[in-house]
Amino acid sequence: MKTISNILFAGLSWEERSFLGIKEDCKHFNQTKKVFLFVNISGSHDENQNKAKIQEYCKKKHIHFELVELNYEDPFFTWKRLESLVDGNHKSLKKPVVDISTIPREVIWTLIFFLRKYCTRVDCIYHSPKKYTKKWLSKEPKSPRLLLKHSGISEFNKPTAVLLITGFDEIRTRKLVDYYEPKLMVLGIQQGNQFENKVRNSKEKHLSAIKGQTDLKTFTIDAFSKDFGLSIINSEIKKLKEKYNIIACSQGPKPTSIALYKSQLSHSYVALCYVPSGDFSREYSFGIDRSYKYELDF
């Protein structure tokens, strides 16, 4: 069943699903009038092929196409650019869709923050790849960053707990511990063995990376459930509220970034955090598999 949408936001990437996902979006969300495609100003020429394909597709479908340059290394620049973009198009923001598949989490959260000014609901869609490369996906993580206007409420007499939805890069987990020196790390481990998850995102890998540096707790989460893992995230946050200042970070399956943002709307004392990577594999993923949709209401 098709759903009506008027504006689609998506991210440009060299991954095959960058183009394939937009095609699926425009098929599923009927009456798409505009596509805003985010591109990092310091991005790679590897993205040019997908950019040309997306432009040509939009032209054939008579969809307005606009390339939006952001700076993924400069949150302040990106913040102002997205504010201007949303404010400038607010009159046509009736049923916006955000394809989160290849947009950085920090950008997703910032975009949703501004869409909330004009919308009561945003449809979020995620296209899972057929497979990831068996080699490394990301490396050289940078310092963690708190999201602007989402840095929580810190109480002087409380220690810090970091709630992290883990991914394939355990060095990012260690980066959070080194940077924030939390009293407690609570690791949310994705359940199932999709994409060799039990090996590449094993509890043992993450515990080994931070062993002896902090107290540890773990829980399992299903990012591909109906609520993208929201209910379990809310449950874990409530356990921490009385004793800790809480920093929450999503580095695992992309849908958890939506669940985490939804949770933060109800728990404003939680700080949203993102750990950028310095490098990504040019063979990051291949193809497109299942699509997951979440209606994010405010």
Side-chain angles (χ1 to χ4, degrees), residues 63-266:
I63 298 171
H64 174 81
F65 170 85
E66 187 172 330
L67 204 63
V68 181
E69 290 190 339
L70 303 177
N71 187 339
Y72 296 166
E73 288 72 47
D74 186 344
F76 295 100
F77 178 92
T78 293
W79 183 274
K80 297 302 293 183
R81 183 69 184 91
L82 289 178
E83 181 180 29
S84 175
L85 175 69
V86 173
D87 286 347
N89 290 274
H90 74 274
K91 291 183 179 180
S92 58
L93 282 173
K94 296 177 181 179
K95 295 181 179 295
V97 174
V98 181
D99 184 336
I100 67 172
S101 306
T102 54
I103 304 178
R105 289 157 221 255
E106 200 171 25
V107 176
I108 294 169
W109 293 337
T110 303
L111 174 63
I112 292 173
F113 172 78
F114 288 116
L115 290 176
R116 284 170 51 208
K117 293 170 60 178
Y118 305 106
C119 307
T120 57
R121 193 187 91 181
V122 174
D123 284 333
C124 299
I125 191 161
Y126 173 74
H127 302 292
S128 177
K130 284 189 178 297
K131 62 179 181 179
Y132 290 105
T133 180
K134 291 185 178 297
K135 303 175 184 178
W136 63 276
L137 293 178
S138 62
K139 60 183 180 181
E140 299 178 6
K142 300 181 180 180
S143 296
R145 299 195 294 239
L146 297 182
L147 183 68
L148 294 171
K149 292 188 180 294
H150 298 75
S151 57
I153 300 172
S154 180
E155 296 184 41
F156 182 74
N157 62 334
K158 288 184 178 180
T160 298
V162 173
L163 186 149
L164 168 66
I165 312 302
T166 65
F168 290 171
D169 186 359
E170 71 276 13
I171 305 304
R172 277 173 152 177
T173 303
R174 191 170 70 200
K175 197 79 173 180
L176 282 163
V177 173
D178 291 343
Y179 194 82
Y180 290 115
E181 298 182 344
K183 171 65 176 174
L184 174 66
M185 281 291 290
V186 181
L187 304 181
I189 312 291
Q190 172 63 29
Q191 68 182 45
N193 197 35
Q194 61 283 340
F195 307 117
E196 301 179 61
N197 178 71
K198 288 185 178 180
V199 174
R200 305 186 74 174
N201 182 30
S202 70
K203 177 172 70 175
E204 291 73 23
K205 280 181 64 176
H206 294 280
L207 294 181
S208 177
I210 57 177
K211 185 177 180 180
Q213 299 182 54
T214 179
D215 295 337
L216 292 164
K217 289 185 179 179
T218 64
F219 65 95
T220 57
I221 188 171
D222 184 4
F224 306 108
S225 62
K226 187 177 181 180
D227 69 352
F228 284 5
L230 174 62
S231 58
I232 187 66
I233 289 173
N234 282 341
S235 175
E236 293 299 323
I237 284 175
K238 289 176 182 177
K239 293 176 185 177
L240 300 171
K241 178 182 178 182
E242 297 303 321
K243 293 184 178 180
Y244 298 95
N245 293 316
I246 307 169
I247 298 172
C249 184
S250 164
Q251 302 293 168
K254 188 69 74 69
T256 60
S257 65
I258 300 301
L260 200 60
Y261 192 88
K262 175 72 172 179
S263 178
Q264 204 272 347
L265 292 180
S266 302

